[in-house]
Amino acid sequence: MENKRVLLVTFDMSGYYDAVRDELKSRYAEVDYYNTATLSYRYRNLGEKLHSAVYKLFTGKKLKNYLKLRQLTDAVTSNHYDIALIVRPDLFFDSQLVAIRKSSHRMIAYYHDSVNNIPRKKDVIHYFDQVWSYEKADVEKYNLKFIPNFIYFRPQTDLAAPRGAFSVASFDYRFPALEKVAEQLKSYGFPYRFFVMTNKPRHSGLVTFISRRMQNPEVIEEIKNASVIVDIHKFGVQDGLTFRTFEALGFGRKLITTNKDVASYEFFDPQNIFVIQNPEDFTLPADFLESQYRPVAEEVVRKFTVAAWLDSILP
């Protein structure tokens, strides 16, 4: 264990980065972890609320976000860190990133969203010693370092897979493609459980609508009881491989995905992964659903674990 102090800051509503925190704690003497998704702030008085409204009118920024994150920056800037690893640094105001920078010997960022999806990401690159991204187009355009997402649990590729498909997603422009998958699975008599998160009442005979985000322990239980994972990624917006891909790899499950870039990875096998080329017009091959998963070499799976991910990005 290295005698270093490390700061990890994420915005994580599902629990992916708990694995990063735990791996860091196994390597370093002191690890401070903050998940900004859990932070909140209430205005202290009417004056502060009015000040925030005026500030937004003239700057377009929400002062409440600054005040919420100030709890974190006030805490961390009283310390010194050998390494600071920040996911979603775009959420911070520039002055807050400057403060964290002053308290950090080395500051690293990881982007698991594209600049196309979150434009501010390009504006904060210069605060970091290194910025890693899962989006190949951004790596090329902004001179970043490429690394994909990771398996956030201990791989269990030999776990029995009951016949069935699973997917969980938010309700957005991808929904028609997911419905098409559901229609075809239903026509084959292939069981599936598709969950779509929405905050408005909706009806469908093909999917189950849910009003809250499914947490990772729930997702893992669903995957254990499925032989196929379906991933309709944010096509046209970002093309980094989602965590669904690495859940499939880590549990030895087949994958149906709209992400064509998956074919460029060494774990790609057409017997295990079916790529939807056109989300508006496609046919799922019945033999893909019913054929056996072909195991991926253990040394290949190991390359995409959280331990390997940290080995790559940490100095």
PDB file of all heavy atoms in Angstrom, residues 21 24 35 49 73 83 111 126 154 171 200 202 205 254 288:
ATOM      1  N   ARG A  21     -13.473   3.404  -5.970  1.00  0.00           N
ATOM      2  CA  ARG A  21     -13.147   3.789  -4.580  1.00  0.00           C
ATOM      3  C   ARG A  21     -12.530   2.626  -3.826  1.00  0.00           C
ATOM      4  O   ARG A  21     -11.485   2.779  -3.176  1.00  0.00           O
ATOM      5  CB  ARG A  21     -14.426   4.248  -3.873  1.00  0.00           C
ATOM      6  CG  ARG A  21     -14.254   4.548  -2.393  1.00  0.00           C
ATOM      7  CD  ARG A  21     -15.599   4.457  -1.676  1.00  0.00           C
ATOM      8  NE  ARG A  21     -16.173   3.121  -1.786  1.00  0.00           N
ATOM      9  CZ  ARG A  21     -17.464   2.848  -1.627  1.00  0.00           C
ATOM     10  NH1 ARG A  21     -18.327   3.814  -1.354  1.00  0.00           N
ATOM     11  NH2 ARG A  21     -17.900   1.603  -1.735  1.00  0.00           N
ATOM     12  N   LEU A  24      -9.013   1.825  -5.063  1.00  0.00           N
ATOM     13  CA  LEU A  24      -8.068   2.839  -4.589  1.00  0.00           C
ATOM     14  C   LEU A  24      -7.713   2.612  -3.125  1.00  0.00           C
ATOM     15  O   LEU A  24      -6.547   2.740  -2.729  1.00  0.00           O
ATOM     16  CB  LEU A  24      -8.665   4.234  -4.771  1.00  0.00           C
ATOM     17  CG  LEU A  24      -8.735   4.780  -6.201  1.00  0.00           C
ATOM     18  CD1 LEU A  24      -9.532   6.079  -6.230  1.00  0.00           C
ATOM     19  CD2 LEU A  24      -7.340   5.000  -6.777  1.00  0.00           C
ATOM     20  N   ASN A  35     -19.168  11.756  -3.815  1.00  0.00           N
ATOM     21  CA  ASN A  35     -20.097  11.539  -4.925  1.00  0.00           C
ATOM     22  C   ASN A  35     -21.015  12.756  -4.992  1.00  0.00           C
ATOM     23  O   ASN A  35     -21.897  12.940  -4.145  1.00  0.00           O
ATOM     24  CB  ASN A  35     -20.903  10.262  -4.698  1.00  0.00           C
ATOM     25  CG  ASN A  35     -21.868   9.974  -5.833  1.00  0.00           C
ATOM     26  OD1 ASN A  35     -21.957  10.729  -6.814  1.00  0.00           O
ATOM     27  ND2 ASN A  35     -22.604   8.886  -5.724  1.00  0.00           N
ATOM     28  N   LYS A  49     -31.617  33.491  -2.240  1.00  0.00           N
ATOM     29  CA  LYS A  49     -32.409  32.983  -3.366  1.00  0.00           C
ATOM     30  C   LYS A  49     -32.532  34.035  -4.465  1.00  0.00           C
ATOM     31  O   LYS A  49     -32.406  33.730  -5.661  1.00  0.00           O
ATOM     32  CB  LYS A  49     -33.788  32.550  -2.874  1.00  0.00           C
ATOM     33  CG  LYS A  49     -34.603  31.797  -3.906  1.00  0.00           C
ATOM     34  CD  LYS A  49     -35.887  31.257  -3.288  1.00  0.00           C
ATOM     35  CE  LYS A  49     -36.658  30.429  -4.300  1.00  0.00           C
ATOM     36  NZ  LYS A  49     -37.897  29.859  -3.702  1.00  0.00           N
ATOM     37  N   THR A  73     -15.564  21.481  -2.070  1.00  0.00           N
ATOM     38  CA  THR A  73     -14.302  22.191  -2.303  1.00  0.00           C
ATOM     39  C   THR A  73     -13.734  22.766  -1.010  1.00  0.00           C
ATOM     40  O   THR A  73     -12.519  22.786  -0.812  1.00  0.00           O
ATOM     41  CB  THR A  73     -14.477  23.300  -3.359  1.00  0.00           C
ATOM     42  OG1 THR A  73     -15.552  24.163  -2.976  1.00  0.00           O
ATOM     43  CG2 THR A  73     -14.768  22.705  -4.723  1.00  0.00           C
ATOM     44  N   ILE A  83      -2.768  12.612  -5.651  1.00  0.00           N
ATOM     45  CA  ILE A  83      -3.517  12.388  -6.885  1.00  0.00           C
ATOM     46  C   ILE A  83      -4.967  12.789  -6.660  1.00  0.00           C
ATOM     47  O   ILE A  83      -5.567  12.424  -5.645  1.00  0.00           O
ATOM     48  CB  ILE A  83      -3.485  10.906  -7.311  1.00  0.00           C
ATOM     49  CG1 ILE A  83      -2.059  10.401  -7.449  1.00  0.00           C
ATOM     50  CG2 ILE A  83      -4.241  10.704  -8.631  1.00  0.00           C
ATOM     51  CD1 ILE A  83      -1.967   8.874  -7.576  1.00  0.00           C
ATOM     52  N   TYR A 111     -13.718  11.180 -18.617  1.00  0.00           N
ATOM     53  CA  TYR A 111     -14.978  11.550 -19.261  1.00  0.00           C
ATOM     54  C   TYR A 111     -15.682  10.280 -19.738  1.00  0.00           C
ATOM     55  O   TYR A 111     -15.197   9.607 -20.644  1.00  0.00           O
ATOM     56  CB  TYR A 111     -14.725  12.439 -20.472  1.00  0.00           C
ATOM     57  CG  TYR A 111     -14.196  13.833 -20.187  1.00  0.00           C
ATOM     58  CD1 TYR A 111     -13.907  14.703 -21.238  1.00  0.00           C
ATOM     59  CD2 TYR A 111     -13.984  14.276 -18.894  1.00  0.00           C
ATOM     60  CE1 TYR A 111     -13.438  15.989 -21.000  1.00  0.00           C
ATOM     61  CE2 TYR A 111     -13.514  15.550 -18.637  1.00  0.00           C
ATOM     62  CZ  TYR A 111     -13.230  16.406 -19.697  1.00  0.00           C
ATOM     63  OH  TYR A 111     -12.763  17.672 -19.449  1.00  0.00           O
ATOM     64  N   HIS A 126      -8.008  22.026 -19.709  1.00  0.00           N
ATOM     65  CA  HIS A 126      -6.710  22.626 -19.377  1.00  0.00           C
ATOM     66  C   HIS A 126      -6.394  22.632 -17.880  1.00  0.00           C
ATOM     67  O   HIS A 126      -5.258  22.915 -17.494  1.00  0.00           O
ATOM     68  CB  HIS A 126      -6.639  24.055 -19.917  1.00  0.00           C
ATOM     69  CG  HIS A 126      -7.594  25.001 -19.273  1.00  0.00           C
ATOM     70  ND1 HIS A 126      -8.943  25.044 -19.603  1.00  0.00           N
ATOM     71  CD2 HIS A 126      -7.413  25.950 -18.309  1.00  0.00           C
ATOM     72  CE1 HIS A 126      -9.537  25.976 -18.882  1.00  0.00           C
ATOM     73  NE2 HIS A 126      -8.633  26.531 -18.086  1.00  0.00           N
ATOM     74  N   ARG A 154     -16.518  -8.189  -9.681  1.00  0.00           N
ATOM     75  CA  ARG A 154     -15.617  -9.312  -9.941  1.00  0.00           C
ATOM     76  C   ARG A 154     -16.214 -10.189 -11.040  1.00  0.00           C
ATOM     77  O   ARG A 154     -17.332 -10.694 -10.900  1.00  0.00           O
ATOM     78  CB  ARG A 154     -15.418 -10.136  -8.673  1.00  0.00           C
ATOM     79  CG  ARG A 154     -14.399 -11.245  -8.830  1.00  0.00           C
ATOM     80  CD  ARG A 154     -14.147 -11.942  -7.511  1.00  0.00           C
ATOM     81  NE  ARG A 154     -13.147 -12.988  -7.651  1.00  0.00           N
ATOM     82  CZ  ARG A 154     -12.709 -13.729  -6.646  1.00  0.00           C
ATOM     83  NH1 ARG A 154     -13.177 -13.535  -5.420  1.00  0.00           N
ATOM     84  NH2 ARG A 154     -11.798 -14.655  -6.845  1.00  0.00           N
ATOM     85  N   PHE A 171     -36.141   6.864 -20.874  1.00  0.00           N
ATOM     86  CA  PHE A 171     -37.045   7.114 -22.008  1.00  0.00           C
ATOM     87  C   PHE A 171     -36.530   8.310 -22.803  1.00  0.00           C
ATOM     88  O   PHE A 171     -36.436   9.424 -22.286  1.00  0.00           O
ATOM     89  CB  PHE A 171     -38.465   7.395 -21.505  1.00  0.00           C
ATOM     90  CG  PHE A 171     -39.453   7.582 -22.625  1.00  0.00           C
ATOM     91  CD1 PHE A 171     -40.096   6.493 -23.186  1.00  0.00           C
ATOM     92  CD2 PHE A 171     -39.726   8.844 -23.133  1.00  0.00           C
ATOM     93  CE1 PHE A 171     -40.990   6.651 -24.228  1.00  0.00           C
ATOM     94  CE2 PHE A 171     -40.618   9.017 -24.172  1.00  0.00           C
ATOM     95  CZ  PHE A 171     -41.258   7.919 -24.723  1.00  0.00           C
ATOM     96  N   LYS A 200     -42.910  10.517 -16.360  1.00  0.00           N
ATOM     97  CA  LYS A 200     -44.272  10.789 -16.817  1.00  0.00           C
ATOM     98  C   LYS A 200     -45.023   9.481 -17.023  1.00  0.00           C
ATOM     99  O   LYS A 200     -44.421   8.465 -17.389  1.00  0.00           O
ATOM    100  CB  LYS A 200     -44.240  11.573 -18.134  1.00  0.00           C
ATOM    101  CG  LYS A 200     -43.637  12.968 -18.020  1.00  0.00           C
ATOM    102  CD  LYS A 200     -43.679  13.670 -19.368  1.00  0.00           C
ATOM    103  CE  LYS A 200     -43.082  15.071 -19.271  1.00  0.00           C
ATOM    104  NZ  LYS A 200     -43.101  15.768 -20.589  1.00  0.00           N
ATOM    105  N   ARG A 202     -46.695   6.634 -18.796  1.00  0.00           N
ATOM    106  CA  ARG A 202     -46.640   6.136 -20.166  1.00  0.00           C
ATOM    107  C   ARG A 202     -47.167   4.710 -20.179  1.00  0.00           C
ATOM    108  O   ARG A 202     -47.197   4.037 -19.146  1.00  0.00           O
ATOM    109  CB  ARG A 202     -45.214   6.177 -20.712  1.00  0.00           C
ATOM    110  CG  ARG A 202     -44.592   7.572 -20.716  1.00  0.00           C
ATOM    111  CD  ARG A 202     -43.231   7.593 -21.377  1.00  0.00           C
ATOM    112  NE  ARG A 202     -42.542   8.860 -21.161  1.00  0.00           N
ATOM    113  CZ  ARG A 202     -42.730   9.957 -21.886  1.00  0.00           C
ATOM    114  NH1 ARG A 202     -43.599   9.915 -22.886  1.00  0.00           N
ATOM    115  NH2 ARG A 202     -42.075  11.081 -21.624  1.00  0.00           N
ATOM    116  N   GLY A 205     -47.276  -2.120 -24.161  1.00  0.00           N
ATOM    117  CA  GLY A 205     -47.453  -3.546 -23.920  1.00  0.00           C
ATOM    118  C   GLY A 205     -46.163  -4.320 -24.075  1.00  0.00           C
ATOM    119  O   GLY A 205     -46.161  -5.550 -23.948  1.00  0.00           O
ATOM    120  N   LYS A 254     -24.520 -12.747 -23.689  1.00  0.00           N
ATOM    121  CA  LYS A 254     -24.589 -12.233 -25.053  1.00  0.00           C
ATOM    122  C   LYS A 254     -25.052 -10.784 -25.017  1.00  0.00           C
ATOM    123  O   LYS A 254     -25.689 -10.336 -24.053  1.00  0.00           O
ATOM    124  CB  LYS A 254     -25.530 -13.084 -25.898  1.00  0.00           C
ATOM    125  CG  LYS A 254     -24.990 -14.479 -26.178  1.00  0.00           C
ATOM    126  CD  LYS A 254     -25.662 -15.083 -27.391  1.00  0.00           C
ATOM    127  CE  LYS A 254     -24.920 -16.327 -27.838  1.00  0.00           C
ATOM    128  NZ  LYS A 254     -25.335 -16.746 -29.183  1.00  0.00           N
ATOM    129  N   PHE A 288     -28.903 -16.497 -33.206  1.00  0.00           N
ATOM    130  CA  PHE A 288     -28.037 -15.771 -32.287  1.00  0.00           C
ATOM    131  C   PHE A 288     -28.581 -15.882 -30.863  1.00  0.00           C
ATOM    132  O   PHE A 288     -27.825 -16.087 -29.916  1.00  0.00           O
ATOM    133  CB  PHE A 288     -27.930 -14.297 -32.680  1.00  0.00           C
ATOM    134  CG  PHE A 288     -27.213 -13.455 -31.658  1.00  0.00           C
ATOM    135  CD1 PHE A 288     -25.825 -13.404 -31.625  1.00  0.00           C
ATOM    136  CD2 PHE A 288     -27.921 -12.727 -30.700  1.00  0.00           C
ATOM    137  CE1 PHE A 288     -25.149 -12.662 -30.668  1.00  0.00           C
ATOM    138  CE2 PHE A 288     -27.260 -11.965 -29.741  1.00  0.00           C
ATOM    139  CZ  PHE A 288     -25.872 -11.939 -29.728  1.00  0.00           C
TER     140      PHE A 288
END
